[in-house]
């Protein structure tokens, strides 16, 4: 390695900012995935992503960095172990390391930190495919091993100047192969080990919070400016080109995906829009610093249509990829890597090469094809061995009886407490009581005025309880329903959520073109206390809001105030 030139404060500041942006992508990915899983698996998904920040950060400092960016051991496959634990950083990364023209002018630790964030988020991508099936401790062991024996060598091949594929001529600006293709191949291998969810593909899992997914997508888009913009390690024109390319490819991917979704399913959805944007981001990643602006738009548009079409891939392969990681990240990363061979332009970056469309012939495309094949095969084989080994020793697949409620099984709590009873305050203590009998804290008479019994000789009223279910969508306001029932003679009204069976299942749209046959429909259950003579009027009011009299009930009841 050569000595470092004077540190450039502008370049250093830019790389440090980009480091923070890429770190922010990991919680963004957690939120993006977390919104698309079942309500009872949200916390498990968030934890599977966030744990990578703890585990992979340490493996990277201890051994991952020296394998990826230490001096080549001589074969182009691995770096030596002289930088184990970062104990000897007397000199900075070598000139031309990664994709930098000229002497590196940032501190070595800035480079270590920046690359650490790539190592963190890469295995986290796998969690979207395996949603609802991972045993937490098994997952921790898997990513610890994977980050060392799979990710670090691939990073050395492509991002070290003496790496095997870098010397061959393969180019990967920000991780189309190092991040997306390697993670996608790991998805294929891991799914073969953990298998399918119960009932797949005939049982659909509706997302718990689409707004949460959109927030996560926004964070990913924001963080991707650091993901692609900082890879030149300099605050210059190439960084600006990579940043604008990143944004425009996402925009093009979003629009094309929406058009394809409209043509196929009849709707352009917000989840489809952000899916297209992420597909565009993944696909431009290997090309961001090597192509011009118009090429970036074209790459994003191609990503939108190809990745949308690839949604069927998991059905063809019979692999239960829960959140379509294969279609968006795996296909996107490989596609973008190959498109560098067509759109590469040395006029954008002197370290780049001209692709087919800019007079460079087919040599660059050939180099990209070889690179993709090597990365995918290596990652797939090693990932399968790691996953199978973890499954055999401590278990990687969560037990079948816990997969529908991983939050309770793994964390002992739920992400949401939205019900009326669940939202009430309760008694508590610093530590959970484990012994002793629980005693009721109910105190009669504390809930409101005491009921007054009927006096002797006073007639008992003839009261009916009318129970019906109505369609909430047909209730403009609760006040309208209340006033209509009171005008009909109601003396007491209770409205609660209910789920009712239906003779004909209702088709419900799910994200990315999926459909769910809903056999149980959401309804509002209305219970009305009314004098006997006013029952027909109340039934007429409820009928106006979709209540079917054949499914409604009228019962004789005795109010507590009439108890003698």
């Amino acid at each position: 390695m050569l000595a470092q030139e004077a540190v450039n404060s502008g370049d250093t500041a830019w790389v440090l900012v980009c480091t923070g942006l890429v770190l922010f992508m990991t919680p963004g990915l957690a939120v993006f995935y977390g919104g698309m899983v079942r309500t009872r698996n949200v916390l498990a998904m968030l934890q599977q992503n966030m744990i990578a920040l703890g585990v992979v950060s340490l493996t990277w400092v201890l051994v991952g960095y020296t394998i990826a960016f230490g001096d080549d051991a001589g074969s182009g496959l691995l770096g030596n172990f002289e930088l184990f634990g970062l104990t000897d950083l007397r000199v900075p990364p070598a000139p031309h390391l990664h994709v930098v023209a000229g002497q590196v002018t940032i501190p070595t630790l800035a480079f270590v930190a920046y690359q650490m964030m790539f190592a963190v988020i890469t295995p986290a991508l796998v969690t979207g495919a395996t949603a609802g099936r991972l045993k937490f401790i098994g997952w921790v062991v898997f990513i610890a091993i994977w980050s060392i024996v799979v990710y670090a060598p691939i990073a050395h091949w492509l991002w070290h100047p003496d790496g095997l594929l870098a010397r061959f001529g393969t180019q990967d600006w920000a991780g189309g192969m190092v991040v997306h293709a390697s993670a996608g191949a790991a998805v294929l291998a891991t799914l073969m080990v953990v298998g399918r969810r119960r009932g797949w593909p005939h049982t659909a899992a509706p997302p718990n919070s689409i707004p949460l997914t959109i927030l996560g997508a926004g964070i990913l888009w924001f963080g991707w400016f650091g993901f692609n913009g900082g890879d030149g390690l300099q605050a210059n024109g190439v960084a600006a080109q990579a940043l604008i390319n990143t944004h425009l490819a996402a925009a093009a991917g979003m629009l094309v995906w929406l058009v394809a979704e409209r043509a196929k399913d009849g709707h352009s959805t917000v989840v489809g829009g952000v899916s297209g944007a992420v597909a565009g981001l993944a696909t431009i990643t290997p090309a961001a610093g090597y192509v011009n602006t118009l090429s970036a738009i074209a790459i994003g548009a191609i990503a939108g249509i190809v990745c949308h079409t690839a949604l069927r891939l998991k059905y063809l392969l019979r692999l239960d990829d829960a959140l379509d990681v294969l279609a968006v990240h795996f296909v996107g990363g490989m596609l973008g890597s190959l498109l560098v061979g067509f759109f590469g332009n040395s006029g954008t970056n002197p370290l780049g090469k001209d692709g087919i469309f800019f007079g460079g012939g087919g040599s660059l495309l050939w180099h990209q094809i070889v690179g993709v094949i090597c990365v995918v095969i290596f990652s797939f084989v090693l990932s399968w061995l790691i996953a199978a080994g973890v499954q055999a020793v401590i278990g990687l697949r969560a037990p079948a009886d816990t997969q529908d409620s991983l939050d309770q099984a793994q964390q002992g709590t739920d992400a949401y407490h939205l019900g009326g009873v669940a939202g009430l305050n309760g008694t508590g203590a610093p530590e959970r009581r484990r012994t002793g009998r629980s005693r009721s804290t109910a105190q009669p008479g504390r809930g409101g005025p005491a009921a007054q019994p009927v006096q002797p000789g006073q007639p008992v009223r003839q009261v009916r309880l009318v129970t019906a279910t109505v369609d909430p969508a047909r209730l403009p306001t609760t006040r309208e329903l209340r006033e209509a029932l009171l005008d009909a003679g109601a003396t007491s009204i209770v409205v609660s959520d209910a789920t009712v069976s239906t003779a004909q299942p209702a088709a419900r749209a799910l994200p990315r073109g999926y459909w769910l046959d809903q056999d149980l429909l959401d309804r509002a259950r209305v219970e009305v206390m009314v004098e006997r003579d006013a029952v027909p009027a109340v039934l007429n009011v409820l009928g106006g809001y979709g209540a079917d009299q054949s499914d409604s009930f009228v019962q004789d009841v005795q109010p507590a105030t009439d108890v003698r």
Side-chain angles (χ1 to χ4, degrees), residues 5-291:
E5 290 183 347
V7 169
N8 183 295
S9 59
D11 292 344
T12 302
W14 172 238
V15 172
L16 293 178
V17 168
C18 290
T19 300
L21 290 173
V22 181
L23 183 152
F24 194 35
M25 293 177 71
T26 297
L29 183 69
V31 173
F32 182 70
Y33 285 164
M36 288 194 287
V37 298
R38 288 181 170 181
T39 305
R40 290 171 289 183
N41 288 347
V42 177
L43 296 179
M45 175 57 72
L46 297 177
Q47 188 179 48
Q48 289 166 16
N49 282 264
M50 295 301 292
I51 195 63
L53 283 167
V55 173
V56 181
S57 296
L58 295 180
T59 62
W60 180 253
V61 167
L62 291 174
V63 67
Y65 179 77
T66 191
I67 292 174
F69 295 107
D71 284 340
D72 186 72
S75 62
L77 296 175
L78 299 170
N80 60 31
F81 287 85
E82 292 181 358
L83 301 180
F84 176 84
L86 304 183
T87 54
D88 185 8
L89 292 179
R90 292 171 296 176
V91 291
H96 300 287
L97 181 61
H98 200 47
V99 287
V100 182
Q103 288 288 97
V104 174
T105 57
I106 63 171
T108 303
L109 283 177
F111 181 74
V112 173
Y114 181 62
Q115 287 296 328
M116 178 194 298
M117 302 312 161
F118 284 78
V120 165
I121 197 172
T122 301
L125 293 173
V126 176
T127 62
T130 56
R133 283 158 287 171
L134 289 182
K135 186 177 179 181
F136 179 64
I137 185 61
W139 172 244
V140 170
V141 173
F142 176 87
I143 62 174
I145 299 173
W146 194 89
S147 66
I148 295 171
V149 305
V150 179
Y151 178 84
I154 293 175
H156 185 83
W157 297 356
L158 285 155
W159 285 346
H160 193 285
D162 295 324
L164 182 67
L165 293 177
R167 291 201 311 245
F168 179 67
T170 304
Q171 297 196 324
D172 186 2
W173 176 260
M177 285 178 266
V178 177
V179 176
H180 296 285
S182 68
V187 164
L188 290 172
T190 307
L191 289 177
M192 293 178 65
V193 174
V194 301
R196 307 171 183 173
R197 290 167 294 176
R198 184 171 56 186
W200 187 87
H202 303 295
T203 300
N208 75 89
S209 176
I210 289 178
L212 199 65
T213 293
I214 305 310
L215 174 62
I219 295 174
L220 287 174
W221 196 328
F222 174 65
W224 229 294
F225 290 147
F227 199 85
N228 289 352
D231 282 83
L233 307 182
Q234 294 176 319
N236 56 14
V238 174
Q241 183 69 68
L243 189 148
I244 196 70
N245 286 349
T246 299
H247 182 70
L248 293 177
M254 169 184 281
L255 295 180
V256 172
W257 187 295
L258 288 174
V259 171
E261 191 176 50
R262 174 77 176 184
K264 181 177 181 295
D265 303 316
H267 299 281
S268 294
T269 67
V270 65
V271 173
V274 298
S275 298
V278 173
L281 291 166
T283 306
I284 194 61
T285 292
Y290 295 131
V291 302

Side-chain angles (χ1 to χ4, degrees), residues 421 424-433 438-443:
V421 175
L424 292 175
N425 291 329
T427 57
E431 295 182 2
R432 181 185 301 173
R433 293 189 180 93
S438 62
R439 57 189 179 91
S440 174
T441 59
Q443 300 183 35

Side-chain angles (χ1 to χ4, degrees), residues 148-527:
I148 295 171
V149 305
V150 179
Y151 178 84
I154 293 175
H156 185 83
W157 297 356
L158 285 155
W159 285 346
H160 193 285
D162 295 324
L164 182 67
L165 293 177
R167 291 201 311 245
F168 179 67
T170 304
Q171 297 196 324
D172 186 2
W173 176 260
M177 285 178 266
V178 177
V179 176
H180 296 285
S182 68
V187 164
L188 290 172
T190 307
L191 289 177
M192 293 178 65
V193 174
V194 301
R196 307 171 183 173
R197 290 167 294 176
R198 184 171 56 186
W200 187 87
H202 303 295
T203 300
N208 75 89
S209 176
I210 289 178
L212 199 65
T213 293
I214 305 310
L215 174 62
I219 295 174
L220 287 174
W221 196 328
F222 174 65
W224 229 294
F225 290 147
F227 199 85
N228 289 352
D231 282 83
L233 307 182
Q234 294 176 319
N236 56 14
V238 174
Q241 183 69 68
L243 189 148
I244 196 70
N245 286 349
T246 299
H247 182 70
L248 293 177
M254 169 184 281
L255 295 180
V256 172
W257 187 295
L258 288 174
V259 171
E261 191 176 50
R262 174 77 176 184
K264 181 177 181 295
D265 303 316
H267 299 281
S268 294
T269 67
V270 65
V271 173
V274 298
S275 298
V278 173
L281 291 166
T283 306
I284 194 61
T285 292
Y290 295 131
V291 302
N292 62 30
T293 305
L294 290 179
S295 296
I297 295 174
I299 290 172
I302 295 171
I305 189 64
V306 172
C307 292
H308 181 270
T309 303
L311 290 175
R312 301 295 303 173
L313 184 63
K314 64 182 181 182
Y315 298 111
L316 296 176
L317 298 176
R318 304 296 296 171
L319 292 173
D320 182 10
D321 175 7
L323 306 183
D324 300 303
V325 178
L326 292 175
V328 175
H329 294 280
F330 187 41
V331 171
M334 292 191 298
L335 176 65
S337 299
L338 298 179
L339 290 178
V340 172
F342 292 91
F343 292 99
N345 185 352
S346 60
T348 299
N349 184 345
L351 291 180
K353 301 175 184 177
D354 290 324
I356 292 175
F357 294 157
F358 291 87
S363 61
L364 179 57
L365 178 60
W366 168 245
H367 296 156
Q368 299 301 104
I369 293 173
V370 172
V372 168
I373 293 174
C374 290
V375 168
V376 169
I377 293 177
F378 178 80
S379 179
F380 175 80
V381 173
L382 269 292
S383 298
W384 185 87
L385 291 174
I386 297 169
V390 172
Q391 173 66 15
V393 177
I394 61 175
L396 182 60
R397 178 182 172 89
D401 59 350
T402 69
Q403 291 181 13
D404 290 332
S405 56
L406 288 181
D407 289 354
Q408 279 290 341
Q410 297 181 0
Q411 305 204 17
T413 188
D414 295 309
Y416 304 111
H417 302 277
L418 303 179
V421 175
L424 292 175
N425 291 329
T427 57
E431 295 182 2
R432 181 185 301 173
R433 293 189 180 93
R434 299 184 182 276
T435 59
R437 296 177 61 186
S438 62
R439 57 189 179 91
S440 174
T441 59
Q443 300 183 35
R446 295 291 297 276
Q452 299 297 325
V454 176
Q455 299 300 321
Q458 182 179 347
V460 177
R461 294 177 294 167
Q462 292 184 330
V463 180
R464 300 290 185 269
L465 176 64
V466 180
T467 304
T469 56
V470 302
D471 185 353
R474 298 179 65 174
L475 297 176
T477 64
T478 54
R479 177 181 295 272
E480 179 179 308
L481 175 64
R482 174 179 176 273
E483 291 180 349
L485 290 173
L486 290 176
D487 289 342
T491 59
S492 174
I493 304 169
V494 175
V495 180
S496 58
D497 291 332
T499 305
V500 301
S501 63
T502 176
Q504 292 294 330
R508 178 182 176 187
L510 296 181
R512 295 172 180 162
Y514 303 143
W515 293 87
L516 172 68
D517 285 337
Q518 196 77 357
D519 298 300
L520 299 174
L521 302 180
D522 294 332
R523 289 291 183 262
R525 178 188 179 96
V526 182
E527 297 173 290

